[in-house]
Amino acid sequence: MEEKMFTPGGMERLQATSDRENIPYPRGDGKVKLVNSEWLDRHRNDANLTVVDVQPNIHDYIQEHIPGAVYLTEGVLRVSNRGFPGSYSPNACIQESFRRAGIDADSPVVVYTGKGAFSGAGDGLGQTMMAYTLAKYGHNTVYILDGGIDAWKSEGRELSQDYPAVEPSSFIAEVRDDYPIGYEEFVRIKDNDNVVVLDARPAKVYEGKGPWRKAGHIPGTVNLPWKSLMHEANPARLKSNDELDTILEEHGVDRSKAVICSCGTGREATNEFVLLKWLYLYPNVRIYEGSFTEWVTYPNNPVVEGPKPRGASVEAAPAR
């Protein structure tokens, strides 16, 4: 009976309820979930829980962090590769970084970021970037702190300047290749009728004011700025599910289609990949890690300027 109550997604969508108080959210066995400050405060001393601070600057961590949190900069996740500036670090480097932070693939880890009390440089994306990378390289239970350390502070919870004693783990990097989509496959399927490609960059960049050698966006990509999904006062906190539903429907992000998340370098896209794959339980979501930076390295690849994917309006489609 309940199966018939829903448009595509059926019983799976029962897990992606609008009740985010049911923490960790959503129910099920997804690799990445959302938790709040109250939950973390109750569990931060659990013996098997690792809390990872990915604030934008080491001085932010030094000045204040959640008690027991270990600092791990997202800067270790990507390095230049034969000149291309945004490639993921070699598996061995990522593996060693996770080991030094005491991260175990089968023990829960909470990641959070913030605006940065010292640097003021935080944009909120550090926690989705780290969460995606943890899951991609083999972690099984990643929690994102909704609102990050700024939500934690706003509730008057304890802060620390102590550095925890961390025993290195034996984390083994095992890449889940079904998350990213490579350039050749992207080119082959991006224009199919059953595919929607999102561009998570700000509208002005999508329309043609970015730093790339070519201005604009990949033809056919739909502009869904990642910040439109987040609270204006706290870019690490998602809007309510009712608000998210409306935004996704307005942009034609239909769960019956394959969704490819892209942006400029693959970082902003992690926000939408996490939301759609793990929080909204969309059945077919990929992330184009090379994104616009890779696209424009091919001189013959076309780009489009302006607000529309190809000069046509995007029709609304049910998000849930």
Side-chain angles (χ1 to χ4, degrees):
M1 188 69 160
E2 288 175 322
E3 180 73 27
K4 297 179 181 178
M5 294 169 61
F6 296 90
T7 52
M11 294 298 292
E12 290 183 357
R13 292 192 42 224
L14 288 172
Q15 298 178 52
T17 69
S18 60
D19 181 12
R20 289 224 300 259
E21 297 305 311
N22 180 27
I23 301 297
Y25 164 85
R27 290 183 285 265
D29 58 358
K31 307 298 184 195
V32 179
K33 297 178 183 292
L34 209 62
V35 297
N36 57 24
S37 297
E38 181 182 358
W39 184 94
L40 179 56
D41 212 4
R42 290 200 312 268
H43 291 276
R44 61 186 174 88
N45 293 318
D46 290 359
N48 68 336
L49 181 71
T50 302
V51 182
V52 176
D53 181 304
V54 290
Q55 291 188 84
N57 188 299
I58 190 171
H59 300 96
D60 298 320
Y61 173 81
I62 290 171
Q63 181 165 320
E64 60 181 30
H65 53 265
I66 293 174
V70 60
Y71 184 66
L72 182 59
T73 173
E74 64 170 296
V76 304
L77 303 179
R78 298 195 293 183
V79 294
S80 177
N81 183 16
R82 303 191 179 199
F84 186 76
S87 295
Y88 274 85
S89 299
N91 290 5
C93 295
I94 288 180
Q95 177 174 282
E96 183 63 19
S97 297
F98 290 169
R99 286 183 174 186
R100 291 189 180 195
I103 294 170
D104 187 281
D106 294 316
S107 295
V109 58
V110 176
V111 297
Y112 72 84
T113 190
K115 295 176 182 177
F118 180 84
S119 71
D123 60 7
L125 286 168
Q127 55 193 39
T128 57
M129 181 68 180
M130 185 63 72
Y132 166 73
T133 307
L134 280 162
K136 175 186 173 181
Y137 286 89
H139 204 285
N140 296 312
T141 310
V142 184
Y143 296 142
I144 294 174
L145 179 59
D146 195 18
I149 193 172
D150 296 305
W152 178 275
K153 289 163 59 177
S154 72
E155 297 170 11
R157 301 186 189 276
E158 181 183 355
L159 294 168
S160 176
Q161 289 187 309
D162 295 332
Y163 312 137
V166 175
E167 287 295 323
S169 72
S170 56
F171 188 97
I172 301 295
E174 297 179 348
V175 180
R176 292 180 169 121
D177 291 322
D178 56 326
Y179 295 173
I181 183 169
Y183 174 77
E184 292 182 0
E185 185 181 0
F186 176 75
V187 171
R188 189 170 67 250
I189 72 170
K190 73 180 186 67
D191 295 318
N192 291 354
D193 291 339
N194 65 340
V195 174
V196 57
V197 184
L198 302 178
D199 186 326
R201 295 176 298 166
K204 66 179 182 180
V205 179
Y206 172 88
E207 293 173 16
K209 299 188 184 303
W212 288 268
R213 67 176 70 181
K214 292 183 179 181
H217 57 270
I218 301 169
T221 58
V222 176
N223 188 211
L224 177 56
W226 74 272
K227 276 196 173 181
S228 69
L229 306 170
M230 316 304 288
H231 280 275
E232 185 174 347
N234 186 344
R237 185 191 290 277
L238 280 164
K239 290 180 176 177
S240 72
N241 279 33
D242 287 342
E243 293 173 294
L244 296 174
D245 287 351
T246 299
I247 293 168
L248 294 174
E249 289 170 8
E250 289 175 348
H251 289 78
V253 190
D254 189 340
R255 69 169 45 249
S256 68
K257 295 185 177 183
V259 181
I260 301 173
C261 303
S262 75
C263 57
T265 69
R267 181 173 179 263
E268 293 164 303
T270 62
N271 178 280
E272 294 174 4
F273 183 87
V274 166
L275 172 66
L276 296 173
K277 181 175 180 62
W278 286 305
L279 305 186
Y280 264 47
L281 306 177
Y282 272 43
N284 190 358
V285 188
R286 309 283 294 280
I287 183 168
Y288 178 30
E289 292 176 351
S291 286
F292 196 68
T293 298
E294 182 176 48
W295 180 260
V296 297
T297 62
Y298 295 87
N300 294 328
N301 279 345
V303 297
V304 177
E305 293 189 50
K308 296 180 180 179
R310 317 177 182 273
S313 299
V314 178
E315 296 181 2
R320 296 172 71 80

